[in-house]
Amino acid sequence: MSTTSLPASARAARLREALIAAAFTADGLLEQLGAPAYAALARSETVPALRATRGDSPLDTLVRLFLLQCPVPAAAAAAALPLAECVEDGWVAQEGDLVRATVDVRPYGGPEGQDWFIVSDLGCAVGGAGGISSHEEGVVLGVGGASTTLAGITVRKPVTSALDLGTGSGIQALHAAQHATRVTATDVNPRALEFTRLTLALSGAAPADLREGSLFEPVGTETYDLIVSNPPFVISPGARLTYRDGGMGGDDLCRTLVQQAGERLREGGYAQFLANWQHVDGEEWQDRVRSWVPAGCDAWIVQREVQDVTQYAELWLRDSGDHRTDSAVYAERYEAWLDEFEARSTRAVGFGWITLRKSAAAAGNPSLVAEEWPHAVEQPLGSAVEAHFARQDYLREHDDAALLSAHFTLAEEVVQEQVGLPGAEDPEHVVLRQHRGMRRATKVDAVGAGFAGVCDGSLPAGRILDAIAQLMAEDPVLLRDRTPQAIRLLVEEGFLEPVR
């Protein structure tokens, strides 16, 4: 699997024009295929899409050629593409009266409605790896759930420089190119760098500075405003597949990546990663991952999912197609995974997001939030990530006395729910629930509910508490003493917003 066999990108703009003219776009696919067939593609099921493209329109031809990887008649391909150029440049190959794709081209909708295209190895854009055999260790995947998750949580403020470490097919570099003046993309796999070049060219994006190498080695001591990485985080007993297996023991690759990111960040810069981490006997996972955070950085660590070691091994054995091999080979490889976990006293594996922010204030008093949140969130989440760190700054700068003097407003789309038995005079408890961002819910007492309900920014917190104390016949001094901690929690979780 060499880079010399990949298409040339010099005339990608001509191919791009043809794809868009045929409505071979994210919106065009959804309209042509219909929601059920479109969703089936993500499950590696192609029959509904084949049925939906039995016509002879250019869009039918392009879906079958690039997305479903079916040979199409040369006359149909010529009606949809500048065929001679595409053959010459290596996007397709013609064999007699049939044309087949040499790479997978998948339409991908940008955050502002852009028509983008992700280029990857054949068979790897629809439904993930779909069973990559071991001899294809240099394979480059297309769009997957992990890719879109990282793109969705990334802070998207304008920056001078961004680094996509482990670029793969270039999805994160493509997003970064929209708000970064300069984008550097690295990968240990030279094929991935060439696919990134193709993705950027076919999407009409500015080219990136492409560098081959592992971790931060290709960029030396250079620093960035934004670092993003969807690394090969799978904790495996070897390094069979470049796209997923990091080649280090346990979760050492993710740990190394996080630890080394701090010195490559500029002040105020963000580093955002997807990662796996071990749940080890006798150790809290929060403590394990917090220990990775480099000095001078705040961190927000969110565990989205946990799998026991058998579930985890089975997931990645299916990913590589090992479940389709000889049963004895499958059992041997399964045993190897369990031996690896047993040797490391690992009982489960966590998956989630890690965001670092370089901050001078973190040098003496870092904010290290590690939490489990398996519930649905609102994507894109980048603005919520940025707001999280702004709230941490605010709380770090304000003691309890300052909080009581401050003004707050209730965040948008927060609702109150009263929980209790039907007909009861008073609820058993009150829940505040967000419908934006992390979509959190938190239980509050009567004071907390009353306080949040009247926060419109007009009165300082202390004055509001004094009024509540009078209504509830409580001692205002005691109420002022015990309430700041509750206010601090409501601010930290985004229910209350300080009036700046």
Side-chain angles (χ1 to χ4, degrees), residues 262-285:
E263 59 189 13
R264 270 82 178 188
L265 278 178
R266 296 174 181 169
E267 178 66 19
Y270 290 87
Q272 299 188 261
F273 315 104
L274 301 185
N276 274 179
W277 43 78
Q278 296 164 237
H279 285 224
V280 177
D281 289 334
E283 177 185 58
E284 295 295 328
W285 74 265

Side-chain angles (χ1 to χ4, degrees), residues 268-500:
Y270 290 87
Q272 299 188 261
F273 315 104
L274 301 185
N276 274 179
W277 43 78
Q278 296 164 237
H279 285 224
V280 177
D281 289 334
E283 177 185 58
E284 295 295 328
W285 74 265
Q286 295 93 332
D287 295 337
R288 182 181 189 85
V289 185
R290 282 194 197 104
S291 72
W292 299 354
V293 178
C297 290
D298 294 319
W300 187 17
I301 302 155
V302 182
Q303 180 166 273
R304 297 288 286 161
E305 184 180 0
V306 181
Q307 291 183 314
D308 68 47
V309 292
T310 59
Q311 293 173 313
Y312 189 81
E314 291 161 13
L315 169 67
W316 295 109
L317 286 166
R318 287 194 302 272
D319 173 82
S320 57
D322 288 324
H323 61 306
R324 302 190 187 116
T325 63
D326 178 83
S327 59
V329 174
Y330 176 80
E332 180 182 353
R333 290 177 176 170
Y334 200 150
E335 287 272 8
W337 284 78
L338 298 185
D339 287 344
E340 173 78 6
F341 288 129
E342 184 177 349
R344 297 180 178 277
S345 301
T346 300
R347 64 181 185 278
V349 177
F351 166 81
W353 321 322
I354 299 175
T355 299
L356 306 179
R357 186 196 55 168
K358 191 69 169 287
S359 169
N365 183 23
S367 168
L368 305 179
V369 177
E371 61 176 321
E372 187 161 9
W373 191 254
H375 312 293
V377 300
E378 180 190 40
Q379 287 279 32
L381 202 64
S383 59
V385 172
E386 195 171 5
H388 166 87
F389 287 97
R391 293 194 298 269
Q392 296 302 315
D393 285 341
Y394 179 87
L395 293 172
R396 187 159 43 197
E397 296 164 0
H398 290 73
D399 60 16
D400 288 353
L403 285 181
L404 293 175
S405 299
H407 296 240
F408 300 95
T409 59
L410 190 65
E412 291 184 6
E413 296 191 39
V414 172
V415 298
Q416 176 179 302
E417 300 174 358
Q418 295 186 349
V419 181
L421 294 173
E425 183 175 349
D426 297 312
E428 293 179 10
H429 59 265
V430 175
V431 173
L432 299 181
R433 188 178 300 278
Q434 301 169 349
H435 287 282
R436 302 296 303 274
M438 292 291 285
R439 295 176 175 164
R440 297 185 187 276
T442 189
K443 188 188 299 185
V444 294
D445 60 14
V447 172
F451 181 86
V454 298
C455 278
D456 61 3
S458 61
L459 293 173
R463 288 276 301 280
I464 295 174
L465 290 178
D466 291 343
I468 291 175
Q470 185 174 6
L471 287 173
M472 300 181 66
E474 288 204 32
D475 185 329
V477 175
L478 293 178
L479 194 59
R480 279 176 171 255
D481 284 344
R482 68 178 174 86
T483 305
Q485 186 58 38
I487 296 174
R488 193 171 292 275
L489 179 62
L490 291 175
V491 172
E492 180 175 2
E493 295 191 340
F495 291 94
L496 294 178
E497 296 179 347
V499 177
R500 304 286 182 168

Side-chain angles (χ1 to χ4, degrees), residues 23-39:
F24 186 64
T25 62
D27 290 340
L29 280 181
L30 182 58
E31 183 176 349
Q32 177 76 359
L33 301 182
Y38 192 79

Side-chain angles (χ1 to χ4, degrees), residues 50 61 63-72 99-101:
L50 287 167
T61 298
V63 171
R64 285 179 166 251
L65 176 65
F66 284 120
L67 202 56
L68 303 179
Q69 282 112 52
C70 298
V72 300
V99 173
R100 60 175 178 82

